[in-house]
Structures are given as structure tokens and as C-alpha cells.
Amino acid sequence: MARVFVTRQLPGPALERLSQTHETTVWPESLPPTYEQLRNQAADSDALLTLLSDRVDAALIAAAPRLKVIANYAVGFDNIDVDAATARGIAVGNTPDALTEATADLAFALLMSAARRITEAAQSARQGLWKTWEPTGFLGADVYGATLGIIGLGRIGQAMARRGQGFGMELLTTETRDSSNLEHLLSRADFVSLHLPLTPGTHHLIGERELALMKPTAILINTSRGGVVDQVALARALSTGQIGGAALDVTDPEPLPPSDPLWQAPNLLVVPHIGSATWTARERMAEIAVANVLAGLEGAPLPYQVPTQAGS
Ligand code: GLV
Ligand code: GLV
């Protein structure tokens, strides 16, 4: 029996299956282990099942001599030093596919909420401010016929494109590397939705210059990683009316501290990183993460090995 450390209780039956075959410790708290606690657990673990909020860096990997596999419970894996893992022959897995449609649904929900000011309007109704039917109350932006700009065309970006098509939107898409295409998209789109992994090449991809290219009515949607957007520049662009609004499922850091100046910006909707938060997606992610752990402990290729290790 190998020793597996799981950094949080997960929904569904997958972890039970894991504990039947391996000595499995599930972190019992509602808040994650600290970095030191995780490093201590990793020191005598053969496998780790981690969340996107767990930092697995080179020092932690160096302090875990038995480690054979790290299964991240997320499609993103920017929290893991994959190069350090690869150098040690440690397999790294993620959970794509399972959450593609759920995350695209959330991205589209953010788009609709921001366009039609749903959270503001709902709050106003609940606060007893609904006095009469207002010809000019809560006027928002059209979705039908508007231009949706999608940056990053992986699984989730493509799923978002299908939603846009279904709603009668015009589509503009780009991969990041193509900068003239990116500029064209930013200057034309009514909604700009980000679907990129966080890498050194995408860090602060949307900064002062990019925000300045956007229309004053445009709405930025981010369900990827907070670090893709320069938040200081975003706060300024919202406050000065350089862009029309932003709807974020992800921030840098997470959680966004109550004192963060971004909270002061107008026309901002923030939800607490719930892109994959459906029962089906989260249970399926647990199945995949457990399958990755089991394969890794056997020295077999993981069902979902991260692209940089799988050679694609
Ligand atoms: C969520 O953000 C994920 O990467 O799965
Ligand atoms: C996520 O699965 C993506 O490739 O966009």
C-alpha cells in the first residue's frame, strides 16, 4: 500500500475507492493545509492529490523523496512546478474535459449578468428599492448581435464560442501568440472572455495597453486565472470608464482581500472561483484525479497527464 495525501475532502465516491487500495490521508479541515503542513505531509507520501490553491514548488518536491505522482484537482496546473516534477520523474496530472462545459456555462453566466446588470438589479429589488416599472431602470447591453471576443481556444474557449453562436453573437477569436489578431479583437469586441492557462507568457496579458484598446462599453470576463489580468490597470480602467465593466471568477490573489483596491472599482462583478462548481463536474474531476493517482503509483502513463509532460 502506498501513502497518499489528499489536501481536501472531495465530493462523490472517488476518494473511498482510493482509500480501499492505499493508505489515504484526507486533510480534514475546511481551510487548506499551510505550505509547511503540505510539505510535511509530502515528505513521506508516494502521491499527492492537490487543489489549485496548494503551492507545490521545487522546494516541496525536493523534500518529498518518495513522491511518484501529483494529481491536481483542476484543469489548470500553474500551482505546480512541473519542470521540477519532471526532472525527478514525478508524473503530474490534471482534470480537463470534466469541467469544460461547466466553466463555459459560468463564463456565459457572467457575461449575461454583467450585460443585464442582474446582480445589481436583484439586490435593489431585495432591498425594497423597486418602486415602479422604470423605462430607464437598469438598462444594460445587448447580447444578441454583439461581438464576443474569445482569447484562448482550448476546450473551454471553444465551448464558450458555441454558446456565443447559440445566442446570435458575432465571434472573434485568437490565440495569444498572434498579437495583431489580439489587437483587432480587443478593439472590436463588446465582450472579451479569457480562456488561457497562466504561464510566464500569459501573465498580465491584459494590461494597461490592452485595456486602452477596448471599447468604453466593453465588458471583460475572466474565468481562467487572475494573473492573466493586471488588476491595478483593470481597477484604473473601470474607474476612469475606459471599459464598461468586468466580471471575474478568478483574481490574484485568491481570495481577493477585503482591502484590495479593486473592490472600489465600479461595474465590477466578482464570484469566488466557481467555474467548475457543479456536482457533476466536481465528482467527475475527483474520479479523474483518483485515476491519475492510481496510474501514477503503478508507474503507468496517467489518463490525464499535463500537456507539457504528455509531449503535446
Ligand atoms: C479551475 O480553475 C481549474 O483549473 O480547474
Ligand atoms: C481547458 O480544458 C482548456 O483546454 O481550455
Side-chain angles (χ1 to χ4, degrees):
M1 284 223 290
R3 187 169 185 280
V4 184
F5 181 64
V6 181
T7 65
R8 199 77 60 84
Q9 193 52 248
L10 302 178
L15 287 185
E16 252 167 62
R17 213 152 44 81
L18 185 60
S19 39
Q20 279 160 15
T21 42
H22 293 288
E23 186 193 330
T24 303
T25 306
V26 180
W27 183 253
E29 317 275 334
S30 59
L31 287 177
T34 62
Y35 176 77
E36 286 70 28
Q37 288 167 326
L38 178 57
R39 198 180 48 194
N40 289 341
Q41 290 287 343
D44 58 355
S45 291
D46 303 288
L48 293 178
L49 198 163
T50 51
L51 306 192
L52 57 90
S53 43
D54 298 315
R55 179 161 54 96
V56 181
D57 60 11
L60 189 145
I61 288 169
R66 292 168 52 167
L67 201 56
K68 291 170 83 169
V69 53
I70 304 164
N72 211 37
Y73 184 68
V75 63
F77 47 88
D78 48 277
N79 57 309
I80 297 175
D81 189 332
V82 176
D83 289 342
T86 306
R88 274 270 314 284
I90 298 168
V92 181
N94 66 342
T95 64
D97 290 341
L99 48 69
T100 301
E101 303 295 340
T103 305
D105 280 348
L106 197 269
F108 212 82
L110 289 176
L111 183 157
M112 297 288 279
S113 302
R116 299 304 301 274
R117 305 173 62 183
I118 292 174
T119 53
E120 262 177 278
Q123 200 173 11
S124 152
R126 183 175 287 275
Q127 286 169 348
L129 301 173
W130 184 5
K131 302 296 185 205
T132 182
W133 188 88
E134 283 282 357
T136 57
F138 297 107
L139 300 190
D142 281 315
V143 172
Y144 174 82
T147 299
L148 170 59
I150 296 178
I151 304 180
L153 270 183
R155 300 173 186 82
I156 302 171
Q158 291 175 39
M160 184 66 170
R162 290 194 296 275
R163 282 156 182 73
Q165 265 157 359
F167 276 77
M169 303 180 86
E170 304 288 329
L171 292 186
L172 291 174
T173 61
T174 185
E175 300 286 353
T176 45
R177 281 170 287 275
D178 187 348
S179 67
S180 65
N181 208 7
L182 178 63
E183 286 173 14
H184 175 78
L185 181 153
L186 290 169
S187 61
R188 297 288 181 86
D190 299 301
F191 300 91
V192 173
S193 191
L194 306 177
H195 300 283
L196 307 149
L198 177 62
T199 64
T202 64
H203 182 257
H204 287 192
L205 178 78
I206 303 299
E208 194 175 340
R209 197 180 139 269
E210 291 71 27
L211 291 161
L213 289 169
M214 288 171 65
K215 293 183 183 182
T217 49
I219 291 171
L220 178 71
I221 299 132
N222 191 6
T223 53
S224 63
R225 283 293 181 271
V228 175
V229 175
D230 175 346
Q231 277 175 195
V232 173
L234 176 61
R236 200 177 311 122
L238 289 168
S239 301
T240 60
Q242 194 168 57
I243 69 168
L248 311 176
D249 184 40
V250 289
T251 59
D252 181 17
E254 291 181 8
L256 191 63
S259 60
D260 194 287
L262 184 60
W263 288 117
Q264 305 306 319
N267 303 316
L268 172 74
L269 171 60
V270 179
V271 294
H273 205 149
I274 57 171
S276 65
T278 70
W279 286 103
T280 319
R282 291 279 169 88
E283 291 188 13
R284 179 88 186 103
M285 289 162 66
E287 295 293 341
I288 294 175
V290 165
N292 281 340
V293 168
L294 294 174
L297 287 174
E298 282 174 13
L302 310 190
Y304 287 93
Q305 196 141 352
V306 298
T308 37
Q309 283 193 341
S312 67

